[in-house]
């Protein structure tokens, strides 16, 4: 079987962007987080900070919110603030949102299939823009985003998901990301900003419960006995695999699940790799990370195609995981996009690679 190409490295970059810039640099335990400060649930003013520590005061609850992509959009929908979202960039793919928020999410106007054009964002009428990218290059064409002065002139306050926006900044964490604390901080921060702090605490508590149960279940497994794990991003193309590195949120998901990301040592979020690199790592488990196709049947076929490629491609058919059928069928969205569902991904991975210790759905 010959490897297929989906626009080469450009596809990998596009997938990174579509995956909502879920890169590292947010720190572990909120190390680069200036947490929102509020006098109580729903209290304003609220003070938040960007990656450099510059503070923004949100004087009142925002009523017209624009989000940069599916990651921040899903957080706001889950917080109960979706009725105030008037537009988004990088919209969630068909069928990718959970059923309980899918209908509302589908009604959100799409202001940009990738990055929202600068003029459209400034003219949107928003009073708040939730940004996942920060100083990262504007994806989808090298566009330059508005300056802070332009945001202010348009009456738009600009806040960030620090767990994903701080990669490449001076305060970015250099160590691999091994927990979901930065994402939990972002949920709390958005809860404070939108006046939904109580709901934010509920979401975080639910995540911590799931992760804590898995952590306790696999605690006795020594680090060097934990299975090695490779995320195969099938949709990024197969000619050159993309390595999910230590500063990507997926590294934290894998670590919390009691496994070892084979590319945890590369100091990046995503990095172009080679099949020689994968063969040298010879992972115990391979995640077939495909994007949701909008229906169970189509998504199942995508998983089948990814598995068939690994079994038929000469470079990979001899890998231990391929020979033993050690595949994890888990969508890329819940693994590489920052959000509440990362905790669900932790449990699903753990239940697959540690079936005697963790049961899915319990």
């Amino acid at each position: 079987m010959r490897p297929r190409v989906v626009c080469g490295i450009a596809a990998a970059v596009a997938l990174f962007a579509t995956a909502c810039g879920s890169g590292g640099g947010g720190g572990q335990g909120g190390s680069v987080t200036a947490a929102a400060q509020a006098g109580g649930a729903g209290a304003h003013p609220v003070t938040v900070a960007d990656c450099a520590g510059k503070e923004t005061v949100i004087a009142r609850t925002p009523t017209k919110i624009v989000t940069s992509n599916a990651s921040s959009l899903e957080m706001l929908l889950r917080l109960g603030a979706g009725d105030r979202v008037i537009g988004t960039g990088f919209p969630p793919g068909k069928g990718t949102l959970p059923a309980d928020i899918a209908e509302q999410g589908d009604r959100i106007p799409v202001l940009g299939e990738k990055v929202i054009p600068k003029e459209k964002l400034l003219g949107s009428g928003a009073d708040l823009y939730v940004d996942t990218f920060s100083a990262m290059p504007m994806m989808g064409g090298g566009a330059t985003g508005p300056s802070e002065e332009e945001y202010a002139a348009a009456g738009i306050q600009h806040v960030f998901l620090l767990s994903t926006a701080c990669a490449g900044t001076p305060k970015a964490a250099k160590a691999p990301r091994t927990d979901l604390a930065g994402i939990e901080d972002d949920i709390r921060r958005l809860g404070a900003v939108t006046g939904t702090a109580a709901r934010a605490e509920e979401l975080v508590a639910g995540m911590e419960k799931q992760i804590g149960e898995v952590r306790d279940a696999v605690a006795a497994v020594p680090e060097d006995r934990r299975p090695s794990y490779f995320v195969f991003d099938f949709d990024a193309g197969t000619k050159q695999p993309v390595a999910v590195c230590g500063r990507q949120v997926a590294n934290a998901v894998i670590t919390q699940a009691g496994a070892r990301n084979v590319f945890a040592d590369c100091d990046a979020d995503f990095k172009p790799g080679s099949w020689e690199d994968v063969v040298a790592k010879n992972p115990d488990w391979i995640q077939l990370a495909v994007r949701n196709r909008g229906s169970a049947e189509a998504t199942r076929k995508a998983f089948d195609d990814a598995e068939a490629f690994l079994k038929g491609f000469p470079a990979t058919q001899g890998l231990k995981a391929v020979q033993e059928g050690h595949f994890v069928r888990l969508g890329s969205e819940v693994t590489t996009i920052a959000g509440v569902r990362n905790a669900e991904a932790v449990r699903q991975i753990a239940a697959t690679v540690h079936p005697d210790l963790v049961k899915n759905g319990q």
Side-chain angles (χ1 to χ4, degrees):
M1 182 179 296
R2 300 177 66 86
R4 68 188 185 93
V5 184
V6 183
C7 303
I9 299 304
V13 175
L15 180 61
F16 172 32
T18 306
C20 304
S22 314
Q28 294 170 195
S31 61
V32 296
T33 296
Q37 302 165 2
H44 283 74
V46 172
T47 301
V48 295
D50 65 11
C51 297
K54 180 182 177 182
E55 293 184 339
T56 295
V57 177
I58 310 297
R60 60 186 61 85
T61 304
T63 59
K64 295 181 179 179
I65 306 171
V66 170
T67 60
S68 64
N69 55 24
S71 179
S72 47
L73 173 60
E74 183 172 337
M75 286 186 187
L76 289 168
L77 291 170
R78 287 182 175 273
L79 285 167
D83 58 340
R84 287 177 265 157
V85 180
I86 62 171
T88 190
F90 282 108
K94 179 183 177 183
T96 60
L97 288 174
D100 58 334
I101 58 174
E103 184 176 349
Q104 186 177 28
D106 289 344
R107 294 198 300 266
I108 303 298
V110 176
L111 302 183
E113 290 294 337
K114 293 184 178 179
V115 171
I116 301 171
K118 175 178 173 179
E119 295 75 15
K120 185 173 288 189
L121 174 57
L122 293 175
S124 64
D127 55 9
L128 181 73
Y129 177 57
V130 182
D131 193 348
T132 305
F133 301 128
S134 186
M136 293 165 59
M138 296 292 281
M139 299 293 181
T144 300
S147 66
E148 292 305 318
E149 292 75 19
E150 288 172 319
Y151 280 118
I156 301 173
Q157 293 200 287
H158 186 194
V159 300
F160 301 91
L161 296 187
L162 298 189
S163 66
T164 61
C166 299
T169 66
K171 292 188 177 182
K174 301 303 181 183
R177 181 189 298 228
T178 58
D179 63 40
L180 301 179
I183 296 164
E184 293 172 354
D185 284 347
D186 274 334
I187 293 169
R188 289 189 174 105
R189 186 179 299 105
L190 283 186
V193 167
T194 60
T196 58
R199 175 58 178 159
E201 290 301 327
E202 291 178 3
L203 293 174
V204 170
M207 292 177 68
E208 292 182 342
K209 181 177 185 294
Q210 288 191 76
I211 295 168
E213 289 172 350
V214 171
R215 187 186 304 118
D216 291 345
V218 302
V221 182
E223 181 68 25
D224 61 357
R225 298 291 299 276
R226 297 189 174 194
S228 57
Y229 193 96
F230 168 56
V231 178
F232 172 37
D233 194 340
F234 183 62
D235 292 311
T238 56
K239 183 176 182 180
Q240 182 177 29
V242 174
V244 172
C245 298
R247 285 193 275 134
Q248 221 284 324
V249 63
N251 191 73
V253 171
I254 295 164
T255 302
Q256 291 295 308
R260 294 178 293 117
N261 176 16
V262 294
F263 290 112
D265 57 350
C266 64
D267 185 24
D269 309 293
F270 295 92
K271 186 177 180 179
S274 71
W275 286 116
E276 289 79 6
D277 295 334
V278 177
V279 170
K281 300 290 187 180
N282 197 16
D284 297 311
W285 288 87
I286 298 177
Q287 178 177 333
L288 307 176
V290 304
R291 279 175 276 180
N292 192 305
R293 298 302 200 259
S295 73
E297 181 179 357
T299 303
R300 183 168 53 252
K301 183 180 184 304
F303 282 129
D304 290 344
D305 290 345
E307 182 174 330
F309 168 78
L310 293 172
K311 289 180 175 179
F313 186 42
T316 56
Q317 59 189 196
L319 290 174
K320 178 180 180 181
V322 175
Q323 289 288 307
E324 296 180 355
H326 280 183
F327 299 113
V328 179
R329 293 189 167 212
L330 182 60
S332 57
E333 293 92 351
V334 298
T335 316
T336 61
I337 296 177
V340 174
R341 288 187 285 169
N342 295 147
E344 300 168 15
V346 167
R347 176 174 288 281
Q348 187 168 339
I349 292 172
T352 306
V353 305
H354 296 292
D356 296 336
L357 300 175
V358 180
K359 303 301 180 185
N360 216 350
Q362 291 185 354

